Structures are given as C-alpha cells and as structure tokens.
Amino acid sequence: MYNNLLDTPIEYLKGVGPQRGDLLKKELGIFKYNDLLHLYPNRYIDKTRYYKITELNSTLTEVQIIGKIIHLKTVEQKKGKRLVATFSDGTGQIELIWFQGFKWIQESLKLNTPYVIFGKLNSFNYSYSMPHPDIESLEEHKSNLSVSMQAVYPSTEKLSTKISNKTINKLMRQLLQETHQLLNDSLPEDLRQHLGLIPMKEAMIAIHFPRDTDILNKARFRLKFEELFYIQMQLLIKNIARKGKIKGYPFTEVGEYFHTFYNQHLPFPLTNAQKRVIKEIRNDMGSPAQMNRLLQGDVGSGKTIVAFMSCLLALDNNFQACIVAPTEILASQHFIGITELATPLGISVKLLTGSTKKVERRNIHEELENGSLNILIGTHALFEDKVIFKNLGLAIIDEQHRFGVEQRSKLWKKNTLPPHILVMTATPIPRTLAMSLYGDLDISVIDELPPGRKPIQTMHFFEGKRLGVWHFVRQEITKGRQVYIVYPLIDESETLDYKNLMEGYEGISRDFPLPEYSVSIVHGQMTPAEKDREMERFAKGETNIMVATTVIEVGVNVPNASVMIIESAERFGLSQLHQLRGRVGRGAEQSFCILMTGDKLSNDAKIRMETMCRTNDGFEISEVDLQLRGPGNIMGTQQSGTLPLKIADIVQDQEILHYARHQAIDLLKKDPNLEQTKHLKIKEKLHRLSQNNGIWNYIS
C-alpha cells in the first residue's frame, strides 16, 4: 500500500485501469489520485433546465432533453459507419449520432425507455442533431440530481473520444468516496475562522459537485487562497533562508567616492524615488547578508545613476563592480554613461564584449586581477571563466530576463562570497507578477521621472494619413530634430503583408532625398561594427532619420531625437511599443510617438493603440499587457516559466494574491520557523511541496 492513498497510481482507481490510465497520463498529466483530485472544472452546466424539442433554436449551444429512442440504425459512410438514433419527446424528433465506439452504445441502448440526453446542438434546414450526447436513464438521472450543476472538465480531442466528461464525473465521484477522509486542513482553525474559509473537505466536494453557486464561490475562494498562500510562503521562506544562509560582504563605509560624487558631481538633483531606492540598496549592502534586489524603473526614470552610486559604495569598501547587459549596444551605452560620471572621480571603467580586441581583452584581464580596474561593463563575455576579479563586490544585471539562470549563477562564483546582486529592468512588471515570479527578491521601484521631462505625445494613424505624417517629420527636421522609424520585419515575409525594412528604407530615401536629408539604417543582420558606425552617425547628428528594426528598443540615448514612428504598430506587443517610445523624450523638447497601422485591427490591437495614446505610465501599460497576454507570455516562458497554478489566475485573482501574501507575511512574523503546534501541518505541506520541486524551477 502507498504511504498516502493520494499517491496511488491513477490506474488503480475503480473504473480507470491501464488503458484509461495511460490516456490520462499522456493527455492531462494525471499520474496519481491527487492529480485527478486537482483537475478542476472549466465551467458548469445547469442540470435543472430541460428543453422541449419544439423549443430548440439555432442560438442554443448545449441542451438537456427528456424523451425516448424510437428508432436505431447504423448508416454506411465513406469511411466506416455511424450509429443514428431517432429521439422523441412527444413534441418533436431529434437525431443522436455516434461516429466512434458505438458498438457497446448500440448494445446498451433500449427502445421506448425514458432517457435524459445532454450535448451540443447542431442545426441544418430546421432539423436538429446531437453528436455523441451524454445519455443516462431517467431513473439514474434522478438519483444524481442532488447536484444541479454539472462540472465540465478540461479535455483534449484524443481524450474526449475515449473518456467522456460524464466518465470523468463518475471517476471523480468514486475518487472522493475513497479519499474524502484524507482531505484534512493544513490551515489552522483560527486562520480559517478569521478569513471565513470553508473546510478543505467541503471545498473539494463543492468544486466538483456544487449544490448551488453560493457554495461553489466559497469553494473557489478557499482553493484559490490556499494555492496562492503556499506559493507566497515558499517565496518568503526562500528569501528569509537566503538572507540567513548566503553571507555577503558588509559594505559598512559610505566613503569618499560616494560623498564626493553626491556633493560635487551630481549632474542633476535626484528624485525622491531615486533617493529612496539608493537608501534601500545602502541598507541591503550594509548588512552581512548578500543583497538580491530587483530595481524596476520606467524608461528614462534614472536607473543608471542609481546603478553608478551603488558601484561607488562597492568602491568605497575596496571592492570592484560589474554591469552586465544583454546586447553590445546596451553595454556600450552603459559604458559611455558610466565613464562620463566616473572620469571626474578618477575611477577606471572598461568595456568587455564579444568584439573587444585580443590585446585590449588581455589588458582588461590583467587590470581586473591586480585590482586597478574598478568597474567592468560588458555582455555575456563577463561570464567566461577567464574573467577573474581581484575582489568583486557588486554585480548589476540589466534586463535579467534575457539571461539564463545558469549564466547568472556564474557571477556568484567570481568571489569567495557571492557579490551583492542588483537586477535592473526597464520593462515594468505588474506588481502581481513581480510578487509571484520575483517574490524571493526584494523589490525597489523608481516610480517618478526626473523633473523637466515633458510627457511624450502619442498618436495613432492609419496608412491613409501617411502624407500628413511625412509633412510633420519634415517640420521637425527643419527645427533641427531627429527621427526614428522602426519596422517589425527585415525581409519580406510570404505570410505577412507588412511593410518591411528594406522597402521602407528605399521609400524613405526617395521621400527624404540627399543633400537636404540623410538616412541611417540599423538591423540585426549587420555586424556589431556596422551597427555602431550607423548609431554613431545618428548620435552625432550626421543623419536626420534612423530607419531600424527593434535592435534600438533598449539603450540608445539621443536627446535630440524627438519623433518615434512605429510602422505596422499592430505587430508589436504593448511592452515593446512602450520601450520603443522611450527612445525619444530624453531632451527638453516636446517629443512625439506616432503609431502607424493597417486599417483592419483586431480587438486586442485596438486596445493596445488606445492604451499607448492614453498613458505614458509603464506600470499601467504592463497591467493592460498582463490582461491581454497572460503571465506566461509576458515573462517569456523559456526564462521564468509560468507559475504552476491549478485554479488561481494571476490576472483575475489579484486581490486574493495580495491577501494571501499579506497573511503569509503576518504568519511568518509571528512564527518564523513554524514551530507552533497549529502551524505544523503548514510546515508538513511546505516540506511535501519542496520534495515535488514546489515552485523552485519557476522563480528567479
């Protein structure tokens, strides 16, 4: 016997057996009793409503009818046969059709016996049919009527032909009969009372066999809360454990570098948000635990200066710092910005990327090891084993979701104790998602822009307004401004009828001819040197227009560029549109973002255009993005996965998530080691979850 009945392989459940067991494993990932128990319904059918055949109409999708089979026949068709039954309720007739597995159906059906049928309605020429209906005798139906709402479970095409929804319902009833005694609460009585949660046993029965909507809502709330509560408990405990176990270097000095820069070389006054974030970082790095902090800041919010001042804290304590960026363009941008800030202080800064020449690379390696190089900025090249620091104290990772977990962990091994880690992102992550995916990191947010920045004006135009847009571009160039024009594709695509970059470049070169205008082009198929050369020409003002793909999404800083035109804007996601818009608005002049689209827009595309025109707030935009695309697509499933949720939904259940996190924090404050008797079951469940990997594979 298995230690726990819920761990019993699914084939041993009465009514399953080896064949159905294999199907459930392959199609739905159900291996044990416990997996089936947590297969939650997609929706519910009201089983109290019965239709007369004369009431049927083409607007109805699923119906339930009481009647009798008055005729049964098999009909030859091109491939095999089908079984057709004529079903009558005295007011009219409907055909019931089975295309598969009908041999045993034919043997079990009786003529002129009362049945209840339920299924999808098909209509053709005012006559109706129902393929593969759920069918049970009226007698059997009446005995099951304690449940007025029938659960409909997730299925697949392959599964539904072999195991119907009715069968799953039967298996679930059997499973609950066998296991309901084991459905004990892990949450203590006082917490349940305080939150008004129904007992687990009642919740599990009600979610699968609800008597009414009231008990169903209570069951849903209970199960969603529990799922999110345990995820938050795992994240919070991981964070506490990391702070306790992973020692860091305490940066106790706030010394000469930091004070000299702050008092004499600060290029502009810090915003209150920047001051708050620097204080949070100082507190973290001043403790003997390793810092592991996520810094979120919208485009142009001033993350670079916060990163630099964090590096100064490392330098003041005789440590080195590094900044890692996902692309050479972004690494170069950081290098230029940081060098400008560091030069007056006599701080040594170097850039290391894939294109760094051999001699320069050798010099960097030597200076790193002897400690004369203070700050190293670069790309993936920094992860290489050959890159050895004398004393790395702080690693800053920009746009960390572009790096794999394995790559990031290499930075940890660059010193005896792991360096403090500051992760930066200009992609605003909705609070709900940050709480779930980065719940083990401490989070800092720069939520205000530097003063004097004018909000970017965003407008949406259809292709018919192109001449007006070009007229506006000429006016801006006459004022001495520069313009970005971004395309989604490099080469022609046979399946997508969108303007491509090369065609666009040729057209723009015709519409904006030399010598009055000069056009640069940048795309992913160019070598880094070619890209840099074109970028430099644009940055120096030698060209007025930059035609590009999304390679300029991050890191390009040209304060004189005041217009961003995004071609085929319907092809881009919200977060990408927002990132591209952030390339302008970096100077004191009014900047503009123009979204060009085709005339036919999907509903989602309309919402994206409307959102971009309505707000410049990256966090508001990220919330809309989360609702449109769901959590997996926003984070990129390759990198972070989506949380393995069975019933809760990060988008729909934000309130429950906040509530669950608050309760988890509160409980761990009162009993950090879960030693109180009433919390032992929580501890047991957390232990079980950690053995099953819990959510460790899904978080940063």
Side-chain angles (χ1 to χ4, degrees), residues 227-241:
E227 185 168 48
L228 294 169
F229 172 79
Y230 276 105
I231 281 176
Q232 293 306 318
M233 285 292 282
Q234 289 174 82
L235 288 164
L236 291 163
I237 287 168
K238 186 182 178 202
N239 197 358
I240 293 165

Side-chain angles (χ1 to χ4, degrees), residues 366-531:
E366 279 173 22
E367 289 175 20
L368 265 189
E369 285 195 63
N370 67 33
S372 59
L373 177 53
N374 305 118
I375 300 172
L376 179 62
I377 295 168
T379 55
H380 304 74
L382 265 72
F383 298 130
E384 290 171 8
D385 294 337
K386 287 177 282 188
V387 178
I388 300 163
F389 291 80
K390 183 184 181 188
N391 204 5
L392 180 65
L394 171 67
I396 296 173
I397 303 171
D398 200 9
E399 298 299 338
Q400 80 133 18
H401 56 279
R402 307 237 192 141
F403 297 108
V405 176
E406 212 174 302
Q407 286 176 315
R408 299 197 302 262
S409 67
K410 285 185 177 177
L411 284 175
W412 285 49
K413 295 163 187 160
K414 298 282 184 187
N415 210 341
T416 322
L417 289 180
H420 294 295
I421 303 282
L422 181 66
V423 170
M424 299 200 301
T425 178
T427 309
I429 303 161
R431 279 190 65 206
T432 345
L433 208 53
M435 227 191 277
S436 305
L437 288 168
Y438 295 108
D440 61 320
L441 271 71
D442 297 304
I443 298 176
S444 289
V445 179
I446 304 179
D447 48 11
E448 62 180 308
L449 291 176
R453 287 263 171 104
K454 290 177 181 162
I456 300 162
Q457 282 184 26
T458 304
M459 295 159 282
H460 167 221
F461 294 113
F462 293 108
E463 188 56 42
K465 300 285 184 185
R466 165 93 42 204
L467 289 176
V469 170
W470 273 183
H471 176 66
F472 173 72
V473 166
R474 288 187 188 98
Q475 284 181 322
E476 286 295 297
I477 292 174
T478 305
K479 290 180 194 169
R481 313 272 179 267
Q482 287 165 283
V483 180
Y484 291 108
I485 303 176
V486 178
Y487 286 84
L489 296 170
I490 295 174
D491 297 311
E492 279 189 30
S493 160
E494 288 169 20
T495 52
L496 296 171
D497 183 26
Y498 290 108
K499 288 187 172 298
N500 67 62
L501 183 83
M502 303 321 289
E503 245 183 30
Y505 173 65
E506 286 161 19
I508 288 159
S509 299
R510 280 195 304 273
D511 292 338
F512 296 89
L514 288 162
E516 197 177 347
Y517 304 99
S518 177
V519 185
S520 283
I521 183 166
V522 172
H523 57 76
Q525 292 181 4
M526 293 164 75
T527 66
E530 288 170 335
K531 278 188 223 168

Side-chain angles (χ1 to χ4, degrees), residues 573-574 603-609 611 621-631 633-634 651:
L574 263 177
N603 200 40
D604 279 7
K606 283 177 190 164
I607 294 170
R608 290 199 297 275
M609 299 309 119
T611 304
I621 287 166
S622 71
E623 292 289 350
V624 177
D625 205 18
L626 180 63
Q627 282 162 6
L628 288 178
R629 297 200 292 153
N633 291 330
I634 284 193
V651 182

Side-chain angles (χ1 to χ4, degrees), residues 5 100 104 142 323 457 563 630 644 657 682 685:
L5 184 61
Q100 285 173 314
W104 67 269
K142 281 177 178 171
I323 299 174
Q457 282 184 26
V563 182
L657 174 63
I682 292 180
K685 181 155 179 176

